[in-house]
Amino acid sequence: MKEIKKVVLAYSGGLDTSIIIPWLKENFNNCEVIAVSGNVGQGTELDGLEEKAIKTGASKLYIEDLQEEFVNDFIFPTLKAGAVYEKEYLLGTSFARPCIAKRIVEIAKAEGADAICHGCTGKGNDQVRFELTIKAFAPEMQIIAPWRIWDLKSREEEIEYAEAHNIPLKINRETNYSKDKNLWHLSHEGLDLEDPANEPQYLKPGFLEMGVAPEAAPDKPTYITLHFEKGIPTALDGVEMDGVSLIKKLNEIGGANGIGLNDLVENRLVGMKSRGLYENPAGSILFRAHDVLETITLDRETQHYKEIVAHKFAELVYFGQWYTPLREAISAFVDVTQATVTGDVKLKLYKGNIINAGVTSPYTLYSEAFATFDADEVYDHKDSAGFINLFGLPIKVKAILDAERKEKGAE
């Protein structure tokens, strides 16, 4: 490793990155530390960040507004793909990391930095997501990952380090959940959640931040109608909206109705299982609406094959492989499938439930004339007999031959 004089740090102002600034200066000859925060919808978490970064030793702080890029270049391609990791995780942290890391690389190059530093733990997935993105855009850049080399072994020891260095924190030992927040979600890990036997404290004041528990939601349902153009949501209840505004509004509506709580044990890339609680109001609504619209706009073979592709797409995103030829190729396939995914989806939101309430599209493949149980002029029921005979021919032949072999064996 060459001498480190200038480091660009992926900075959130949370526990890890708050103590990394002084740690870097202590361990790399008082090097210059430039902090970079990517605004992907953290909201008030960005308040006071510049003052804090400078006070703890950074020479400057970049706060980059990445919300539009995050939505259009990462969230919507994943939504169109229908990609959900292990059936429930909507990839909120997974696709935010490459978005942020790409901008960090750009700043590191502009600043002539010797290295990029991140605060990801050696057990987590984020270290992979950050570093694969760095390798994609700056393959020669040195990477510093303190969690892999420092003497601190726990978040408890991190808090002690912060207290010893007079670094202000917004958490304490009792509320020390590991959280990640952006436009798409809020994740909670650690403390009582580390034991899968413990029920999440949904009703505990301050635990949920993006909405309420289902039992605390209104007794009256809320109806919404989403309009999609080629797989992308463009309007809510008849009002055209950009992606950032639409997601924020759906977070408000969905959160108020207890929508989008996902409690799951997932398989991390590094090998162990981990338990997390995710708040995904807008994401849950949009995935449901998009799925519903595809049921009438995609033919059977495309719909079924796309489900297979979605599984792989989700793995690539979760594993930090956004900037890879395969992910780009799958996105190209997905874009072709979305040519007819245009229309309106009406949903009923009620106490944590998302209930279908109607779907229409100018490209619908649903024909009431063919599907009806009433008398019709377009479908001859007698045709099904020949179809079944041919479709079932392999089964019939196998059964006949098996019976013949069994009979010969008996002789």
Side-chain angles (χ1 to χ4, degrees), residues 25-73:
K25 299 182 78 68
E26 288 175 359
N27 289 272
F28 291 90
N29 299 317
N30 198 35
C31 64
E32 180 182 359
V33 179
I34 298 171
V36 179
S37 294
N39 177 11
V40 287
Q42 301 93 310
T44 57
E45 289 184 9
L46 298 170
D47 294 347
L49 218 53
E50 183 174 12
E51 180 183 1
K52 180 178 180 180
I54 301 301
K55 279 188 175 181
T56 51
S59 63
K60 67 177 77 171
L61 170 68
Y62 288 87
I63 298 181
E64 302 293 293
D65 189 351
L66 303 174
Q67 295 179 90
E68 186 175 335
E69 179 181 350
F70 180 41
V71 171
N72 294 328
D73 295 349

Side-chain angles (χ1 to χ4, degrees), residues 8-276:
V8 168
L9 169 66
Y11 183 73
S12 68
L15 176 59
D16 296 320
T17 58
S18 293
I19 68 172
I20 283 176
I21 294 176
W23 181 88
L24 283 170
K25 299 182 78 68
E26 288 175 359
N27 289 272
F28 291 90
N29 299 317
N30 198 35
C31 64
E32 180 182 359
V33 179
I34 298 171
V36 179
S37 294
N39 177 11
V40 287
Q42 301 93 310
T44 57
E45 289 184 9
L46 298 170
D47 294 347
L49 218 53
E50 183 174 12
E51 180 183 1
K52 180 178 180 180
I54 301 301
K55 279 188 175 181
T56 51
S59 63
K60 67 177 77 171
L61 170 68
Y62 288 87
I63 298 181
E64 302 293 293
D65 189 351
L66 303 174
Q67 295 179 90
E68 186 175 335
E69 179 181 350
F70 180 41
V71 171
N72 294 328
D73 295 349
F74 295 86
I75 290 178
F76 284 168
T78 305
L79 172 66
K80 289 191 293 183
V84 179
Y85 184 69
E86 295 187 339
K87 300 179 182 179
E88 289 193 68
Y89 178 45
L90 300 186
L91 300 165
T93 298
S94 305
F95 49 35
R97 296 309 187 229
C99 178
I100 295 169
K102 178 175 178 286
R103 184 62 182 134
I104 289 172
V105 169
E106 293 168 353
I107 291 173
K109 288 182 175 181
E111 288 282 355
D114 303 302
I116 292 174
C117 179
H118 63 75
C120 309
T121 74
K123 284 186 176 181
N125 301 303
D126 279 347
Q127 60 183 334
V128 182
R129 296 161 184 159
F130 268 111
E131 295 186 28
L132 292 190
T133 301
I134 294 169
K135 291 179 187 298
F137 292 100
E140 305 303 320
M141 183 69 68
Q142 296 185 75
I143 299 172
I144 301 173
W147 264 104
R148 299 205 289 257
I149 56 178
W150 64 15
D151 295 328
L152 303 175
K153 302 300 182 185
S154 67
R155 289 177 68 81
E156 177 72 22
E157 291 184 10
E158 285 185 287
I159 293 175
E160 292 174 359
Y161 183 97
E163 292 172 344
H165 289 74
N166 298 313
I167 300 171
L169 300 173
K170 295 181 180 180
I171 62 171
N172 55 49
R173 287 170 173 78
E174 288 70 40
T175 62
N176 186 22
Y177 289 105
S178 176
K179 296 185 179 184
D180 178 70
K181 185 177 183 180
N182 58 44
L183 273 173
W184 195 242
H185 86 162
L186 173 64
S187 64
H188 308 253
E189 293 180 317
L191 298 181
D192 56 302
L193 295 176
E194 290 190 345
D195 184 351
N198 293 330
E199 180 181 5
Q201 302 177 53
Y202 294 132
L203 293 173
K204 183 179 180 180
F207 181 74
L208 295 177
E209 298 181 26
M210 298 182 73
V212 300
E215 53 264 55
D219 293 331
K220 182 180 179 181
T222 298
Y223 285 88
I224 61 170
T225 299
L226 283 160
H227 179 73
F228 287 79
E229 289 286 338
K230 295 184 177 181
I232 296 176
T234 59
L236 173 62
D237 294 330
V239 179
E240 292 189 5
M241 306 175 75
D242 63 86
V244 174
S245 300
L246 187 145
I247 288 172
K248 287 181 177 179
K249 187 62 178 178
L250 286 178
N251 277 332
E252 292 177 16
I253 297 171
N257 284 277
I259 301 297
L261 297 179
N262 298 100
D263 176 13
L264 63 144
V265 174
E266 66 199 58
N267 289 293
R268 285 185 177 175
L269 173 58
V270 294
M272 81 280 288
K273 292 181 181 290
S274 67
R275 195 261 189 108

Side-chain angles (χ1 to χ4, degrees), residues 270-347:
V270 294
M272 81 280 288
K273 292 181 181 290
S274 67
R275 195 261 189 108
L277 173 72
Y278 300 94
E279 299 182 52
N280 278 111
S284 298
I285 293 169
L286 286 172
F287 264 86
R288 170 61 69 82
H290 185 264
D291 283 348
V292 170
L293 185 56
E294 284 193 332
T295 64
I296 67 168
T297 56
L298 295 186
D299 65 278
R300 182 184 67 194
E301 296 303 313
T302 300
Q303 185 177 348
H304 288 184
Y305 188 74
K306 187 170 175 286
E307 290 173 2
I308 299 171
V309 169
H311 176 80
K312 186 60 182 179
F313 192 104
E315 282 191 341
L316 291 171
V317 178
Y318 189 84
F319 295 164
Q321 296 171 299
W322 186 271
Y323 294 107
T324 59
L326 179 55
R327 199 283 305 166
E328 293 172 359
I330 294 177
S331 285
F333 162 77
V334 168
D335 285 344
V336 173
T337 70
Q338 299 302 287
T340 59
V341 185
T342 293
D344 294 287
V345 181
K346 187 177 182 181
L347 299 172

